[in-house]
Amino acid sequence: MTSPAPVVLVFLDPAFPNGRLADASKPQLMATDQGAIRGDGVFESMLAVGGSVRKLQAHLDRLDSSALALDLENPGQDRWRKAIETGVAEHRMQHPAPSPADDELVVKLVVTRGVEGAGSPTCWVQVSPVGAAGRRQRETGIDVILLDRGHDSGVAERAPWLLMGAKTLSYAVNMAALRYAHKQGADDVIFTSSDGRVLEGPTSTVLLAHLETSDDGAGGNRTTRRLVTPRLDSGILPGTSQGALFNAARAAGWELGYGPLEPQDLLEADAVWLISSIRLLAPVNHIDGKEIGTPAIQKQLTAELNELFAGIQ
Amino acid sequence: MTSPAPVVLVFLDPAFPNGRLADASKPQLMATDQGAIRGDGVFESMLAVGGSVRKLQAHLDRLDSSALALDLENPGQDRWRKAIETGVAEHRMQHPAPSPADDELVVKLVVTRGVEGAGSPTCWVQVSPVGAAGRRQRETGIDVILLDRGHDSGVAERAPWLLMGAKTLSYAVNMAALRYAHKQGADDVIFTSSDGRVLEGPTSTVLLAHLETSDDGAGGNRTTRRLVTPRLDSGILPGTSQGALFNAARAAGWELGYGPLEPQDLLEADAVWLISSIRLLAPVNHIDGKEIGTPAIQKQLTAELNELFAGIQ
């Protein structure tokens, strides 16, 4: 039992153009809200650094597309932007970061289907500090196990009702997979499909890299860096961090690739990461107990990608 | 937009041995509750007729087993029983049924993982009237479409982290499948597995029946009634109504069977139903537009099973 982290809540409310601040220490949701009793809603989790939300547009766009997949009414992006500004400013005022390096906040956006029969969604912004575990894992790396996600990699295209590309509130399985991993002494999970493809983490996207040195034809050596992620049409959530990092890496001369990937590809990579908006790049040290890549190359590539990622707005 | 149905809420609270009544017209849940933001919890929906909850023990047992699958702490059944009594009595006092035939209430039990870091679950009982649509469909029957559930029928055994046999709050896919059916002009869904097996409805269990008349060897006829449901180990939720009805049907001389079932078995049955705790037996008139069974036999078997089911406590 730990004391709860300081949380700021801002509800989207037509009567409050900049959002309605609400006391997070008191109940604010109806027990009959369909988000609460059916996981019927969508969300985004974003990182604010020094008061500025990273990849805001990509997150707002993905929230729109998740809401569309669930036939959920979603307020306009302008209303979200104002409520986010209100929440981040309020949190930084109420709970100033002890140092500029600690000025990181999780900004969560939630849209639920609201109370049954009321016909309007419930929408809010939740601002809270970044947990210590996530920040630590950026440095130490993580141990991962592979777990079967139960479906094949073609399901998203043939069965839209399974909401594969939407970030819904129905995260019980993602949480159960993480608990299962923790019981095995691991930190995280990479899901695989029933047809043997690498999919994603419960709350992250999978990346791998290869470093190849070849003759440059002029007596010297040429180093190629190649960054690969699973195919986006394999029933996974399109990662906003993966998307932004791929753009930055391309501009820096990296080659890019999109699966299909199999577990063997992870074991043969020079480095593997789970990337997400809050924890950022978490280097994968072991998968099912097997060491991944070589520590020196993993360290070098992680440093390079972190630098590229730090430049993303 | 419809006016909300009258709801009574009773929270499980150690300070209130019979449960704590709470105003359902006001927010009662923390926005940071992991049930609300991750669908991380479990539930049951039960029917109270004339103030008495049907199959209470089976529901309490399934709630325990769902909670166990999610590593959720669940208060003892005695505490649930008292809170249920409080909620049902309060609803019947505040909102008496217009006639004894209308004295039906939905009693929902919810357990969430609570607020992150708080270390204790949030548990409540919600009592509300039975919706008109469900009651009507018991009489009129329903049209159903088959939808791919994405996984094969063996997944529950090999991947416990997918929580296949637990009734979790993560119902976004179930709700999306129902919306998909409604857009096609259908009332409900029967999920199939990727290996072609009949699984379950989004909120119900599948039943089919065969009526066979054979020579009794003494110059007369002998009628055999056979009731079949999908295999319970095929990644479906064990139905409390199916379980109770099977016991009653066995006692009344029906033969019982457990799949595997394929869609063709549904099309060749004399009658098909979706059975659940609130809507009870809903006769299936069409599946993917094809008429099921013959109306006269369906009507006769539905009447027989309804009579058996009415005797269940």
Side-chain angles (χ1 to χ4, degrees):
Chain A
M1 188 147 162
T2 55
S3 73
V7 175
V8 165
L9 293 177
V10 183
F11 281 79
L12 270 65
D13 182 332
F16 296 77
N18 296 318
R20 174 173 54 82
L21 277 163
D23 184 348
S25 71
K26 294 201 166 63
Q28 298 291 354
L29 285 187
M30 302 290 280
T32 49
D33 194 292
Q34 293 170 88
I37 52 178
R38 289 182 192 147
D40 198 358
V42 298
F43 76 105
E44 285 292 321
S45 290
M46 321 187 289
L47 184 68
V49 179
S52 168
V53 175
R54 301 183 72 189
K55 304 182 271 96
L56 177 56
Q57 188 60 52
H59 285 287
L60 290 175
D61 290 345
R62 192 170 64 180
L63 189 70
D64 276 342
S65 106
S66 293
L68 191 65
L70 271 75
D71 296 316
L72 268 177
E73 195 187 317
N74 187 21
Q77 297 192 347
D78 267 10
R79 289 185 56 201
W80 280 111
R81 286 177 186 276
K82 286 177 181 162
I84 292 163
E85 264 178 49
T86 300
V88 170
E90 182 73 14
H91 200 288
R92 296 180 83 223
M93 194 180 69
Q94 279 187 28
H95 314 283
S99 79
D102 290 315
D103 192 356
E104 292 191 357
L105 295 171
V106 181
V107 181
K108 187 171 274 197
L109 314 181
V110 183
V111 184
T112 80
R113 202 173 300 280
V115 171
E116 186 137 37
S120 61
T122 310
C123 304
W124 74 93
V125 178
Q126 174 187 314
V127 186
S128 57
V130 175
R135 300 188 71 180
R136 195 167 52 237
Q137 289 175 344
R138 298 174 191 165
E139 308 295 330
T140 61
I142 54 179
D143 292 341
V144 165
I145 58 172
L146 298 175
L147 289 183
D148 183 348
R149 188 62 187 81
H151 59 73
D152 64 89
S153 60
V155 76
E157 292 198 51
R158 71 172 191 272
W161 51 85
L162 299 179
L163 307 176
M164 287 296 172
K167 197 167 170 75
T168 80
L169 295 176
S170 287
Y171 254 45
V173 166
N174 304 53
M175 297 297 114
L178 288 175
R179 283 194 303 277
Y180 190 90
H182 296 161
K183 283 182 198 164
Q184 317 282 316
D187 303 298
D188 213 321
V189 169
I190 293 178
F191 283 128
T192 56
S193 66
S194 56
D195 52 337
R197 301 284 165 79
V198 172
L199 296 175
E200 62 190 345
T203 64
S204 59
T205 308
V206 176
L207 296 181
L208 67 81
H210 286 284
L211 194 63
E212 281 152 26
T213 305
S214 57
D215 193 319
D216 68 359
N221 282 331
R222 180 172 163 274
T223 301
T224 307
R225 287 155 165 71
R226 187 172 162 76
L227 194 59
V228 187
T229 197
R231 287 173 61 105
L232 299 180
D233 62 0
S234 55
I236 64 176
L237 196 72
T240 58
S241 298
Q242 171 271 319
L245 183 61
F246 263 44
N247 286 338
R250 183 192 293 112
W254 289 60
E255 291 184 0
L256 304 178
Y258 296 87
L261 294 176
E262 298 182 357
Q264 193 60 31
D265 297 315
L266 299 174
L267 300 179
E268 291 169 357
D270 285 320
V272 174
W273 301 268
L274 292 183
I275 186 170
S276 51
S277 295
I278 311 302
R279 192 175 59 184
L280 309 179
L281 278 158
V284 174
N285 298 324
H286 297 89
I287 297 179
D288 287 345
K290 299 180 194 88
E291 189 168 15
I292 301 301
T294 47
I297 295 180
Q298 186 212 64
K299 204 171 169 184
Q300 178 199 330
L301 292 176
T302 301
E304 289 181 31
L305 290 177
N306 272 330
E307 199 180 320
L308 288 174
F309 201 57
I312 292 164
Q313 293 305 309
Chain B
M1 188 149 162
T2 54
S3 72
V7 175
V8 164
L9 293 177
V10 183
F11 281 79
L12 269 65
D13 182 331
F16 295 77
N18 295 319
R20 174 173 53 82
L21 277 163
D23 184 348
S25 71
K26 295 203 164 62
Q28 298 291 354
L29 285 188
M30 301 291 279
T32 50
D33 193 293
Q34 294 169 88
I37 51 177
R38 290 183 192 146
D40 199 357
V42 298
F43 76 105
E44 285 293 321
S45 290
M46 320 188 289
L47 183 69
V49 179
S52 167
V53 175
R54 301 183 72 189
K55 303 182 273 98
L56 176 56
Q57 189 59 51
H59 285 286
L60 290 175
D61 289 346
R62 192 169 64 180
L63 189 70
D64 276 342
S65 106
S66 294
L68 191 65
L70 270 76
D71 296 317
L72 268 177
E73 195 188 316
N74 188 21
Q77 297 191 347
D78 268 9
R79 290 185 55 202
W80 280 110
R81 286 176 186 276
K82 286 176 182 161
I84 292 162
E85 264 178 48
T86 301
V88 170
E90 182 73 14
H91 200 289
R92 296 179 82 221
M93 193 180 70
Q94 278 187 29
H95 314 282
S99 79
D102 290 315
D103 193 356
E104 291 192 358
L105 294 170
V106 181
V107 181
K108 188 172 272 197
L109 315 181
V110 183
V111 184
T112 80
R113 201 173 301 280
V115 171
E116 185 137 38
S120 62
T122 310
C123 302
W124 73 94
V125 178
Q126 174 187 314
V127 186
S128 56
V130 175
R135 299 188 71 180
R136 197 168 49 237
Q137 289 176 341
R138 296 174 191 164
E139 307 295 330
T140 61
I142 53 179
D143 291 341
V144 165
I145 59 173
L146 298 176
L147 290 183
D148 182 349
R149 188 63 189 78
H151 58 73
D152 64 89
S153 60
V155 77
E157 293 199 50
R158 70 171 190 272
W161 50 87
L162 299 179
L163 307 175
M164 287 297 172
K167 196 168 171 74
T168 81
L169 296 176
S170 287
Y171 254 44
V173 165
N174 303 52
M175 297 296 113
L178 288 175
R179 282 194 304 276
Y180 189 90
H182 297 160
K183 283 182 198 164
Q184 316 282 317
D187 302 298
D188 213 320
V189 170
I190 293 177
F191 283 128
T192 56
S193 67
S194 56
D195 52 337
R197 300 283 166 80
V198 172
L199 295 175
E200 62 190 344
T203 65
S204 60
T205 307
V206 176
L207 296 182
L208 67 81
H210 285 285
L211 194 63
E212 281 151 26
T213 305
S214 56
D215 192 320
D216 67 357
N221 282 331
R222 181 172 163 271
T223 301
T224 307
R225 288 156 165 70
R226 188 171 161 77
L227 194 59
V228 187
T229 196
R231 286 173 63 105
L232 299 181
D233 62 0
S234 55
I236 64 177
L237 196 72
T240 58
S241 298
Q242 171 270 319
L245 183 61
F246 263 43
N247 286 338
R250 183 191 294 113
W254 289 59
E255 290 185 1
L256 303 178
Y258 296 87
L261 294 176
E262 298 181 359
Q264 193 59 32
D265 297 315
L266 299 175
L267 301 179
E268 291 170 358
D270 286 319
V272 174
W273 301 268
L274 293 184
I275 186 170
S276 51
S277 295
I278 311 301
R279 192 174 58 184
L280 309 179
L281 278 158
V284 174
N285 297 326
H286 296 89
I287 296 179
D288 288 345
K290 299 179 195 89
E291 190 168 14
I292 301 302
T294 47
I297 295 181
Q298 187 212 64
K299 204 171 168 185
Q300 178 197 334
L301 293 176
T302 300
E304 289 182 31
L305 290 177
N306 272 330
E307 199 180 321
L308 288 175
F309 201 57
I312 292 165
Q313 295 305 309

